[in-house]
């Protein structure tokens, strides 16, 4: 049964709406003021909000902003009088899903509710898919650059046929991002097939992609299907696309554009329903300028171009990533220290991470093996990380990393109306971790 938070100060209208919604199978929680709405939202999760902007104790736009800060995925339908068009437009810009004019016609109301619930279900499914497919390997974070990339990946997932080009430095999680696009797309029931173009001799790449017939070349004793055929109905991930042989690129372009292909040594034309997701750490535009990559293929691949930021541009996410890796290693190794010391965390924040998230994961695994105590120490880190920062490195921030993290968590907690579950979901941490940090900051009682 969908749960609705109704915020309306007109008792008669609230009673009528509640009764109407109950008759259609909605569970309604009514709040007459903004304060009551915040308290109700903090106590329980809701599937959508229907709210009036003219509230007696607070401007409705401020309440709207606060509710969406606590749960950005929740749809909010705004109730407005006929002369409040400007106010309704402002609400839409703040993130409201729709606005309804009083008096509300029942069919208009339920049509808007159905559309909002469908949108909310899609958003939350994408978020759950993101966590399932990426969190286990540490692809989590709240840094703005990372969140922009995640939103772009979610949007790309819905375009089941358009090519996607994921760029980013080595170790930023490009294959995991590609897997997310596949799992969150309508093709999720099909195969996800991977080819790393840098791992094969150039003369074998064509056979690997398109297959070959028996006798096509020395050693081809039997025919073999290529990856395009194996990936039919699903996604073909072409990693390190910049290493693809130049003479093979026209054939790849034709297949991406929907043309049939032939196996090496074959005459029969084959069609495959495949979505291409490509990735590279190279600057493909520079390759095009140098004549090492076809311009037409480059433009076709980057229809949906998404860049994953390096870890040095996401320093605030390092504590979340460390906690994620510690949790992961506790599952796989049976044991791992429950925390990382403040001194070690500060050293991790100072380091520039040329290997990005992959390097951080390896460093945490090494530290887990070496540490004898309940927390990772600075001496458990590699010398290049534990030592003093190089003169050319970015100066350390005046605030400690712990202060920054505590401040972000307290701010997110306050913005959510002090809802522990919503804040933990927003930050990508467990409730236990969030509660511990809030207590360290003096913002959470010692006992629940």
């Amino acid at each position: 049964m969908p749960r609705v938070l109704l915020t309306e100060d007109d008792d008669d209208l609230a009673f009528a709406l509640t009764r109407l919604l109950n008759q259609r199978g909605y569970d309604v929680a009514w709040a007459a003021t903004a304060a009551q709405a915040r308290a109700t939202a903090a106590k329980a999760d809701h599937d959508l909000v229907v709210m009036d902007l003219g509230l007696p104790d607070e401007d409705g736009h401020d309440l709207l902003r606060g509710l969406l800060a606590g749960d950005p995925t929740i749809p909010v339908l705004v109730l407005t009088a006929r002369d409040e068009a400007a106010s309704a437009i402002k609400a839409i810009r703040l993130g409201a899903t729709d606005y309804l004019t009083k008096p509300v016609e029942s069919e208009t109301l339920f049509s808007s509710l159905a559309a909002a619930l469908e949108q909310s279900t899609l958003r939350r499914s994408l978020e759950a898919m993101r966590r399932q497919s990426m969190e286990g390997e540490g692809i989590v974070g709240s840094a703005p650059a990372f969140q922009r990339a995640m939103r772009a990946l979610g949007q790309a997932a819905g375009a089941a046929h358009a090519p996607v080009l994921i760029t980013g430095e080595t170790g930023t999680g490009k294959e995991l991002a590609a897997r997310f696009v596949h799992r969150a797309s309508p093709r999720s029931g099909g195969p996800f097939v991977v080819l790393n173009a840098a791992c094969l001799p150039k003369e074998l790449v064509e056979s690997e992609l398109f297959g070959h017939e028996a006798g096509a070349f020395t050693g081809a004793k039997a025919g073999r299907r290529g990856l395009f055929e194996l990936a039919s109905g699903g996604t073909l991930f072409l990693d390190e696309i910049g290493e693809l042989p130049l003479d093979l690129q026209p054939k790849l372009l034709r297949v991406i554009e929907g043309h049939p292909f032939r196996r090496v040594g074959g005459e029969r034309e084959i069609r495959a329903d495949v979505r291409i997701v490509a990735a590279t750490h190279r600057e493909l535009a520079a390759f095009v300028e140098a004549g090492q990559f076809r311009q037409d293929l480059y433009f076709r691949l980057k229809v949906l171009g998404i860049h994953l930021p390096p870890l040095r541009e996401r320093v605030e996410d390092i504590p979340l990533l460390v906690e994620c890796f510690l949790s992961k290693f506790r599952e796989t190794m049976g044991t791992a220290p429950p925390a990382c010391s403040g001194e070690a965390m500060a050293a991790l924040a100072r380091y520039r991470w040329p290997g990005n998230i992959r390097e951080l994961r390896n460093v945490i695994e090494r530290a887990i093996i070496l540490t004898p105590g309940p927390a990772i120490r600075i001496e458990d880190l590699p010398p290049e990380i534990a030592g003093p920062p190089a003169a050319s490195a970015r100066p350390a921030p005046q605030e400690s990393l712990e202060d920054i993290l505590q401040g972000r968590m307290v701010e997110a907690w306050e913005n959510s109306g002090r809802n522990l579950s919503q804040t933990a979901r927003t930050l990508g941490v467990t409730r236990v971790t969030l509660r511990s940090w809030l207590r360290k900051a003096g913002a959470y009682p010692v006992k629940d």
Side-chain angles (χ1 to χ4, degrees):
M1 179 182 293
R3 294 174 57 85
V4 178
L5 172 57
L6 172 63
T7 307
E8 171 58 62
D9 64 333
D10 184 324
D11 293 357
D12 293 335
L13 179 57
F15 176 80
L17 287 173
T18 299
R19 183 172 181 178
L20 187 63
L21 289 167
N22 287 157
Q23 290 174 349
R24 293 290 187 98
Y26 291 88
D27 181 14
V28 181
W30 172 45
T33 65
Q36 291 177 6
R38 291 182 186 277
T40 303
K43 290 178 183 178
D45 292 335
H46 296 83
D47 296 298
L48 52 86
V49 176
V50 178
M51 61 171 288
D52 189 5
L53 290 175
L55 300 174
D57 60 334
E58 184 178 332
D59 179 60
H61 297 103
D62 293 334
L63 174 61
L64 170 63
R65 189 182 291 108
L67 293 174
L68 289 176
D71 183 1
T73 67
I74 192 167
V76 179
L77 307 183
V78 169
L79 297 176
T80 178
R82 293 186 184 277
D83 60 350
E84 294 180 336
S87 185
I89 292 172
K90 180 179 178 182
I92 294 295
R93 288 174 177 170
L94 287 173
T97 304
D98 198 358
Y99 72 91
L100 308 173
T101 303
K102 296 180 181 179
V104 182
E105 295 183 2
S106 60
E107 292 310 312
T108 300
L109 172 63
F110 288 114
S111 175
S112 185
L113 288 174
L117 278 175
E118 183 178 358
Q119 184 182 75
S120 176
T121 300
L122 175 60
R123 287 179 182 174
R124 290 177 176 179
S125 296
L126 287 174
E127 177 64 13
M129 191 75 72
R130 178 188 73 81
R131 293 182 181 276
Q132 177 185 0
S133 64
M134 303 185 81
E135 188 173 271
E137 293 298 327
I139 310 301
V140 294
S142 58
F146 175 79
Q147 288 297 318
R148 284 194 296 272
M150 285 306 306
R151 286 193 293 271
L153 288 169
Q155 292 167 343
H161 297 281
V164 179
L165 178 61
I166 302 173
T167 59
E169 296 178 7
T170 298
T172 50
K174 294 186 290 296
E175 181 171 344
L176 289 172
R179 290 184 182 276
F180 164 70
V181 170
H182 171 72
R183 292 181 183 180
S185 78
R187 294 178 173 271
S188 58
F192 180 83
V193 179
V194 179
L195 172 71
N196 189 315
C199 293
L200 287 175
K202 292 183 178 181
E203 58 272 14
L204 293 183
V205 175
E206 182 176 11
S207 172
E208 193 72 15
L209 279 175
F210 303 108
H212 62 260
E213 300 292 355
F217 51 83
T218 303
K221 297 181 179 179
R224 180 184 176 188
R225 291 189 299 165
L227 297 185
F228 267 101
E229 292 178 74
L230 296 175
S232 187
T235 302
L236 176 56
F237 176 51
L238 300 179
D239 200 6
E240 297 303 342
I241 189 70
E243 310 300 325
L244 192 71
L246 189 61
D247 58 357
L248 188 57
Q249 292 176 23
K251 186 172 182 178
L252 174 62
L253 177 61
R254 281 184 55 81
V255 177
I256 293 176
E257 292 181 337
H259 297 285
F261 62 91
R262 296 185 180 92
R263 293 178 182 173
V264 176
E267 297 180 355
R268 180 172 60 94
E269 289 191 334
I270 301 170
R271 291 184 181 273
D273 175 22
V274 174
R275 198 248 186 101
I276 296 293
V277 178
T280 181
H281 72 283
R282 306 284 194 183
E283 290 289 342
L284 283 189
F287 273 37
V288 171
E289 289 292 329
Q292 298 174 325
F293 201 87
R294 289 183 61 97
Q295 186 180 59
D296 48 4
L297 177 58
Y298 171 59
F299 286 140
R300 186 69 183 115
L301 288 173
K302 65 172 295 189
V303 167
L304 294 172
I306 300 167
H307 181 72
L308 300 183
L311 188 53
R312 63 181 174 276
E313 296 178 4
R314 304 172 48 196
V315 176
E316 64 267 44
D317 287 340
I318 288 178
L320 303 179
L321 292 164
V322 170
E323 168 60 27
C324 179
F325 290 138
L326 288 175
S327 176
K328 181 69 174 179
F329 286 126
R330 277 193 287 270
E331 294 177 7
T332 58
M333 302 170 64
T335 180
C340 181
S341 72
E343 189 180 17
M345 191 70 80
L348 293 173
R350 286 194 301 265
Y351 186 58
R352 300 295 287 167
W353 299 107
N356 293 293
I357 298 172
R358 183 185 297 129
E359 184 184 8
L360 175 61
R361 185 184 190 279
N362 294 339
V363 166
I364 297 303
E365 183 176 14
R366 174 189 186 274
I368 289 171
I369 295 170
L370 294 179
T371 185
I376 294 174
R377 309 161 303 169
I378 193 166
E379 53 263 41
D380 300 323
L381 302 177
E384 66 272 17
I385 299 176
S392 60
R394 183 176 57 186
Q398 293 182 355
E399 288 184 289
S400 70
L401 184 65
E402 184 171 345
D403 290 339
I404 295 172
L405 179 62
Q406 286 180 355
R408 287 177 64 87
M409 288 193 171
V410 170
E411 181 182 1
W413 187 50
E414 294 290 350
N415 289 339
S416 73
R418 298 195 170 189
N419 186 309
L420 200 66
S421 297
Q422 288 183 4
T423 308
R425 286 197 300 271
T426 300
L427 295 174
V429 299
T430 64
R431 284 168 51 92
V432 173
T433 298
L434 176 61
R435 190 184 294 115
S436 173
W437 279 95
L438 291 174
R439 284 173 175 163
K440 287 180 182 178
Y444 196 85
V446 175
K447 293 184 179 180
D448 294 335

